[in-house]
Amino acid sequence: MIKKNSKRKKGALSYRAITIHMYSFGMILMNKKKFESLPDDTQQILLDASKKAGTYQLELSKS
């Protein structure tokens, strides 16, 4: 549904789309010192898994 904004302020959009959906995202965070203290193979596993999770989340958001 597209509605015309009735209380338009300078620089605001004239129209808005009401799509009744939401984009959800998450972050994977870790202390840099702790991450760098892990063995190289463990660091790589974490990096690969986080990239895979990001790709999966993006695919979910497209469906």
Side-chain angles (χ1 to χ4, degrees):
M1 173 190 303
I2 297 180
K3 289 188 173 184
K4 185 170 174 65
N5 284 341
S6 57
K7 297 179 181 178
R8 184 175 175 205
K9 295 181 180 178
K10 187 176 182 179
L13 296 174
S14 297
Y15 293 87
R16 61 189 166 142
I18 300 174
T19 60
I20 309 173
H21 77 281
M22 149 178 115
Y23 179 74
S24 177
F25 67 93
M27 291 186 276
I28 300 172
L29 303 171
M30 183 176 219
N31 178 284
K32 185 177 179 181
K33 258 187 181 179
K34 177 65 177 172
F35 179 78
E36 290 175 347
S37 74
L38 297 172
D40 290 341
D41 60 333
T42 303
Q43 289 181 23
Q44 194 58 53
I45 289 168
L46 289 171
L47 291 172
D48 294 344
S50 62
K51 287 178 185 175
K52 187 175 179 179
T55 301
Y56 178 68
Q57 172 61 34
L58 185 59
E59 290 304 312
L60 284 178
S61 70
K62 291 179 181 178
S63 57

